Amino acid sequence: MSIKNALSKLPPVNRLYKFDKPTILDSDLYKRLPDAYKKFYKEWRMTLPSPVHYVPKQGKWEKNPKTGVITPVQNIPILPVFPRESNQGLWGGEGVVKGYVKPGKYAEKSVKLWFPILKRSVIHSEVLDKRMTTIVTQRTIDLIIDHHGLDHYLLKTRACDIQSELGLKLKRKILMALFYKTLYKDDPIKQEEIYNKYKHYLKDYTEEDIEWYGLNHYEALRKFEYLERCQSVQPPLKHQFRSELIEQMKQEVIQKALDRQSKDVEAKVESKTSWIDKMNPFAKKS
């Protein structure tokens, strides 16, 4: 048999380079998490964010203005690096961009980092009725203004574009306040007004989605372990015995009351019969 025939009988390789890259959800520990958290995690970590540091080209083909060569359009996303400090503010999708700079024609290129311009500002949530001081970028302020408020910006923006754990926690609190109607407890008129203004955002979420939204890996695992522990732990038997004893005592009291009532009825009937016998002249006298 020739080598060509032998290779033709081997099972074909099904494009190994196209296999999905394993994520944290593929581990045995995270596979047990509910689908609500997996849905949030895919939106947060496995979805390509909107372009911030580059302008994507439109169409499928482009023509070089100098050479006239037509080539396919290639939009290679520039993915910034988000340091740990970005989770403590609202950067609006901006991050640290790493690139190269070539100062001259014959000079060697060097590595350069571009950092976003950060500023401290006050943001206000209409649903939570709170003002907060945090670190933001100018793009964050522009997005809040374009969306007519912080609440609209957070509720309309995907988790991958918010990126910040602070922003995700705020979005989770806003969703919970709307779902459970815990906003403006002391002012029912204001509560209905704000609720009717933002209630259309709840159609995309269930109660379970909101409960697991905005949690990082460790918080989700702790929450899941706590729920499992609450389900597996049985209440002490003393509570069961106490409830059974109370129920037994109730039944005894009820039975005694019924017996006493029946005895009273029999006594009244006997007394009435004896009185009639005394007044009856035809009754037999002992």
Side-chain angles (χ1 to χ4, degrees):
M1 182 182 294
S2 63
I3 299 177
K4 184 176 181 180
N5 294 334
L7 292 176
S8 63
K9 293 186 177 181
L10 294 176
V13 179
N14 188 15
R15 296 184 299 178
L16 293 176
Y17 61 92
K18 288 292 183 71
F19 283 174
D20 293 335
K21 184 179 179 181
T23 63
I24 194 173
L25 295 178
D26 296 326
S27 61
D28 296 335
L29 187 61
Y30 288 89
K31 280 182 179 179
R32 302 166 58 193
L33 292 174
D35 294 335
Y37 182 74
K38 294 178 181 179
K39 175 184 175 183
F40 161 72
Y41 183 84
K42 290 177 180 178
E43 179 188 344
W44 181 31
R45 294 298 190 187
M46 301 174 63
T47 304
L48 187 66
S50 302
V52 176
H53 299 282
Y54 69 100
V55 180
K57 299 178 182 179
Q58 303 297 328
K60 296 183 178 180
W61 304 90
E62 64 178 348
K63 183 177 181 180
N64 192 320
K66 294 183 179 180
T67 61
V69 178
I70 298 176
T71 56
V73 173
Q74 296 183 2
N75 286 318
I76 301 176
I78 299 176
L79 300 179
V81 179
F82 298 103
R84 188 176 302 175
E85 291 77 10
S86 65
N87 292 320
Q88 302 173 5
L90 295 175
W91 290 16
E94 293 189 63
V96 180
V97 178
K98 180 181 178 181
Y100 299 92
V101 175
K102 192 173 183 180
K105 182 178 180 180
Y106 301 102
E108 294 184 357
K109 61 181 180 181
S110 59
V111 180
K112 183 178 180 180
L113 299 176
W114 286 269
F115 297 90
I117 300 176
L118 305 177
K119 58 182 72 175
R120 184 175 294 275
S121 180
V122 178
I123 56 178
H124 173 256
S125 173
E126 189 177 19
V127 175
L128 301 178
D129 193 23
K130 289 184 179 179
R131 295 184 182 273
M132 297 155 280
T133 303
T134 185
I135 302 297
V136 298
T137 61
Q138 184 59 43
R139 185 173 190 272
T140 305
I141 298 175
D142 295 339
L143 289 172
I144 293 175
I145 295 174
D146 293 340
H147 287 83
H148 306 285
L150 175 67
D151 304 275
H152 287 294
Y153 162 63
L154 293 176
L155 293 173
K156 287 182 180 179
T157 309
R158 300 177 300 174
C160 60
D161 294 328
I162 296 176
Q163 184 274 324
S164 166
E165 290 188 11
L166 173 63
L168 296 175
K169 293 290 189 301
L170 288 174
K171 184 175 180 179
R172 181 173 184 265
K173 287 185 177 181
I174 293 171
L175 289 172
M176 293 184 71
L178 292 172
F179 187 85
Y180 298 108
K181 296 191 74 171
T182 57
L183 60 160
Y184 297 94
K185 291 183 178 180
D186 300 332
D187 193 349
I189 299 177
K190 186 71 173 179
Q191 183 187 64
E192 287 297 323
E193 178 185 351
I194 301 299
Y195 175 77
N196 294 330
K197 184 177 179 181
Y198 294 95
K199 66 179 181 180
H200 60 278
Y201 291 109
L202 296 175
K203 63 181 181 181
D204 298 329
Y205 303 92
T206 62
E207 183 178 5
E208 188 179 12
D209 292 341
I210 296 174
E211 288 292 336
W212 289 93
Y213 197 91
L215 302 179
N216 56 34
H217 314 142
Y218 305 105
E219 292 172 345
L221 285 177
R222 286 199 298 266
K223 182 180 178 66
F224 183 74
E225 290 175 356
Y226 172 76
L227 294 176
E228 273 195 337
R229 191 163 54 249
C230 292
Q231 293 177 359
S232 60
V233 174
Q234 297 181 355
L237 293 177
K238 63 179 182 180
H239 300 307
Q240 178 184 352
F241 296 152
R242 183 186 295 116
S243 60
E244 292 178 356
L245 178 60
I246 293 173
E247 187 65 25
Q248 183 180 356
M249 293 174 64
K250 287 181 179 180
Q251 295 296 332
E252 291 179 357
V253 171
I254 294 173
Q255 188 63 36
K256 288 181 180 180
L258 292 175
D259 295 341
R260 192 182 302 110
Q261 185 178 3
S262 61
K263 289 180 180 179
D264 294 342
V265 171
E266 291 177 358
K268 289 181 180 180
V269 171
E270 291 179 357
S271 62
K272 185 177 181 180
T273 305
S274 61
W275 178 77
I276 293 175
D277 291 341
K278 291 180 181 179
M279 297 296 296
N280 187 4
F282 301 101
K284 294 181 180 180
K285 296 181 180 180
S286 55

